[in-house]
Amino acid sequence: MVTLLLDTSQLEVVLSPLEQAAAFYRDNLRVDRDHITKVQLTEEPWTWLRGVASPGTHIKGLFAAGTWETATSRDFVLVRRRRPAVVIDLEGSDYARLLLGTRHGLALAQALRLDVSAEPTDVTEIAATGAIPVTPDAGGPSRNRGKAKPTLKPA
C-alpha cells in the first residue's frame, strides 16, 4: 500500500523499493496539486485498468504496477488484490490518471480540500487534524431513504 504525502504544491506517492521495481519507476511519483481535477474512491480497482502495461508488472487479479498506455493516454497504476483504491484524474501532467490501491482515499480527498503546510505530510494526519467540512446527509447510503416507515396492522 502506498503512502500519500501532501504539501501546498504537490502530492507525493511514496513507493517502497519493491513497488519501484515492479512499476519500473526509480523514485517516488510527484504530481502538482494544480494538475488534479477529480478524485474518486473505488472498491473495484481492476475495472479501472485501461490499456497495457508498458513498462509495468501485471499478474491478473493479484497485482498491477507501472505505466498503462492506451492509444491516447498514460495512467500510473499500483493496485493489489481486492483492496480499495483511489482514482485521481489529472490534466496537464505526464499521466492522465493515477490508480492507487490505498485505504486512505477518503483522507486524500478530504486533505485536498484543506490548506496544508509547506512540509510534506501524510494525508491521514492532515485529514485527522483538519476541520473538514461535512454536509449532513450528503447522499450516503440509507436503508429507509424515501420510504415510509412500515406500520403494523392488527390481524
Side-chain angles (χ1 to χ4, degrees):
M1 181 172 61
V2 297
T3 300
L4 304 170
L5 302 178
L6 188 66
D7 64 25
T8 55
S9 63
Q10 69 181 6
L11 169 67
E12 182 175 357
V13 181
V14 180
L15 304 174
S16 71
L18 179 63
E19 292 167 339
Q20 289 176 357
F24 296 93
Y25 208 84
R26 294 180 186 217
D27 199 9
N28 295 335
L29 179 65
R30 292 174 182 88
V31 176
D32 287 341
R33 285 181 71 168
D34 296 339
H35 295 175
I36 298 173
T37 58
K38 184 167 44 169
V39 177
Q40 300 174 74
L41 307 177
T42 181
E43 293 291 326
E44 294 293 331
W46 298 100
T47 61
W48 289 85
L49 281 179
R50 58 184 181 185
V52 294
S54 178
T57 304
H58 185 207
I59 303 171
K60 190 174 182 179
L62 292 177
F63 185 72
T67 301
W68 255 244
E69 291 192 12
T70 68
T72 59
S73 68
R74 295 173 57 202
D75 297 344
F76 184 84
V77 174
L78 186 56
V79 294
R80 292 185 194 138
R81 295 194 176 138
R82 294 202 163 270
R83 296 190 178 156
V86 63
V87 181
I88 304 169
D89 290 338
L90 305 170
E91 193 171 285
S93 177
D94 292 341
Y95 294 104
R97 187 169 66 180
L98 305 179
L99 177 58
L100 306 170
T102 180
R103 292 178 299 212
H104 305 299
L106 181 59
L108 172 64
Q110 293 171 335
L112 284 168
R113 298 175 71 189
L114 299 172
D115 292 327
V116 295
S117 72
E119 293 297 318
T121 308
D122 192 315
V123 296
T124 56
E125 292 176 24
I126 296 169
T129 59
I132 300 166
V134 177
T135 306
D137 197 39
S142 174
R143 293 179 183 234
N144 292 327
R145 173 167 279 157
K147 296 180 185 175
K149 292 184 180 179
T151 57
L152 300 175
K153 297 180 182 177

